[in-house]
Amino acid sequence: MTMVTLLVATTIDPASINPANELLAMPGWSPGPSLQDIKSFANRDVRLLLHDKSIVAEDDLDNRWEELTGEVVDEVIFFSRHTAVSNRPALTVHPIGVPHLLDGEVPLQGGKPGWAAPPSPRIGPWLRLLKTIAESHNLVPEFEITLEGTHHGPVTNKRTLFLEIGSTEDYWCRQDAAKVIALLVWEGLAIGGGIDVGNWNREHSKNNKVLLGIGGGHYAPRHMDIVLKDGVWVSHLLSGYSLPMEDPKLSNGNTNDKSIGGSWKQSIKASYEATTSAFPGGEIIAHLDHKSFKSWQKTAITGFLGELGVKIGKPKDFY
């Protein structure tokens, strides 16, 4: 049975279709079957899908591809634009999910409440490779190379990552940025031959420790400091907004009440479970952005991680 990687792009976003077109200009591609109105192209064990909707709108492409072709989808990689208030040019890598949303809440950018996709083991290794390729193409320091916290859809049940170009239309259309993203995928998946990068099944015997980021801002600077070190694996990154916590003093007036409301437990649990499925045999270690928490929050989170059996690590514990 053929195991394949799905690459997904949308024609309505230049930051998505341009890297896809750069890839298609490289050798070895041939047309594949259509998934309804979604075109596909094949190269070795890679399938590139092009659709005409928002990148977060097409749910369950993994399942739909398997039903159409009989091939087994091993991982899904999406090309997309990135937006930021700062408008700073950036190339980003991140896992997806909205694990903090409760049933009945409407995800604004796809996904489904309480869900976190299995994070691709390639996230950490590819961030480091992206930095190397971007530097060699003189995009650094103009472009920031960064992780992002777990956010948005679409729904998929396979190991997943997003590759994004930000943060304004001028940068979404930059052909040199598109070329760097395409080269990352070409080299990272070894489409042209050689050895792929970030293959957990092959590489985890050297280091099976996986960082689960808890707290901090959207760009996870304190987690980034660790992930930029060679050999570090990274899974979900739960920024502060993905850990809604209600101060017990505000919820019922009892300062001794340790029951803290909010969906933070659900968010951590869903992300942890998704990580265990993505990194079989891995030792999942939480890394806390301690400065982003109040003492009562830190106490609650460390206690819940203990209940889940998740060790909390310092930077040196991930190498």
Side-chain angles (χ1 to χ4, degrees):
M1 195 171 291
T2 305
M3 297 277 288
V4 299
T5 294
L6 291 188
L7 307 176
V8 184
T10 172
T11 61
I12 64 174
D13 175 6
S16 182
I17 190 61
N18 287 352
N21 284 335
E22 287 284 348
L23 266 176
L24 288 173
M26 297 177 185
W29 295 96
S30 60
S34 294
L35 180 59
Q36 295 169 319
D37 57 350
I38 299 173
K39 294 179 181 178
S40 79
F41 299 86
N43 198 339
R44 298 175 58 147
D45 59 354
V46 177
R47 309 291 179 260
L48 173 57
L49 276 54
L50 303 180
H51 66 70
D52 303 319
K53 298 179 182 177
S54 162
I55 197 67
V56 300
E58 288 281 6
D59 287 338
D60 300 313
L61 281 170
D62 48 346
N63 295 337
R64 291 156 60 191
W65 184 259
E66 290 181 347
E67 290 171 6
L68 174 71
T69 66
E71 296 177 335
V72 176
V73 176
D74 184 48
E75 59 186 329
V76 188
I77 296 165
F78 293 88
F79 301 129
S80 182
R81 72 176 62 181
H82 171 66
T83 56
V85 175
S86 68
N87 290 337
R88 181 174 178 182
L91 303 176
T92 79
V93 186
H94 71 84
I96 64 171
V98 283
H100 62 292
L101 294 185
L102 297 170
D103 283 345
E105 291 187 80
V106 179
L108 298 178
Q109 294 181 294
K112 59 184 179 182
W115 156 85
S120 171
R122 300 194 195 273
I123 291 171
W126 278 27
L127 177 77
R128 298 186 289 271
L129 179 59
L130 175 59
K131 186 170 184 287
T132 298
I133 296 174
E135 287 172 344
S136 72
H137 284 73
N138 300 313
L139 289 190
V140 178
E142 180 185 11
F143 281 77
E144 181 179 14
I145 312 301
T146 186
L147 294 168
E148 292 183 76
T150 298
H151 66 304
H152 69 61
V155 174
T156 159
N157 296 308
K158 305 296 184 177
R159 297 184 291 186
T160 301
L161 64 82
F162 257 65
L163 299 173
E164 300 189 352
I165 301 171
S167 299
T168 65
E169 188 164 2
D170 286 345
Y171 299 110
W172 300 333
C173 296
R174 283 272 292 265
Q175 211 61 40
D176 52 355
K179 181 72 170 179
V180 163
I181 294 293
L183 287 171
L184 169 67
V185 174
W186 183 263
E187 185 176 335
L189 294 177
I191 300 174
I195 299 174
D196 62 322
V197 176
N199 185 319
W200 171 258
N201 296 333
R202 185 182 67 243
E203 299 173 20
H204 78 277
S205 60
K206 292 177 279 187
N207 175 18
N208 75 335
K209 298 173 180 177
V210 182
L211 182 150
L212 173 63
I214 307 287
H218 183 70
Y219 299 99
R222 291 192 177 91
H223 308 315
M224 274 279 294
D225 290 343
I226 299 171
V227 177
L228 285 172
K229 304 282 188 183
D230 281 343
V232 176
W233 303 95
V234 61
S235 63
H236 280 290
L237 301 164
L238 297 178
S239 302
Y241 61 79
S242 295
L243 297 164
M245 304 180 79
E246 296 169 4
D247 189 330
K249 290 182 290 187
L250 300 177
S251 59
N252 59 17
N254 181 355
T255 57
N256 296 318
D257 186 354
K258 294 183 180 179
S259 62
I260 295 169
S263 59
W264 60 281
K265 284 186 177 180
Q266 168 189 293
S267 186
I268 292 172
K269 187 171 187 287
S271 299
Y272 169 68
E273 290 175 349
T275 299
T276 60
S277 71
F279 293 88
E283 180 187 0
I284 300 163
I285 304 174
H287 181 254
L288 272 59
D289 186 329
H290 291 280
K291 293 183 178 179
S292 68
F293 295 116
K294 296 175 181 176
S295 59
W296 63 270
Q297 293 174 314
K298 192 188 301 183
T299 299
I301 288 170
T302 55
F304 184 60
L305 289 169
E307 291 176 25
L308 293 175
V310 180
K311 172 184 171 182
I312 298 172
K314 297 179 180 179
K316 62 179 176 59
D317 295 322
F318 295 93
Y319 308 142

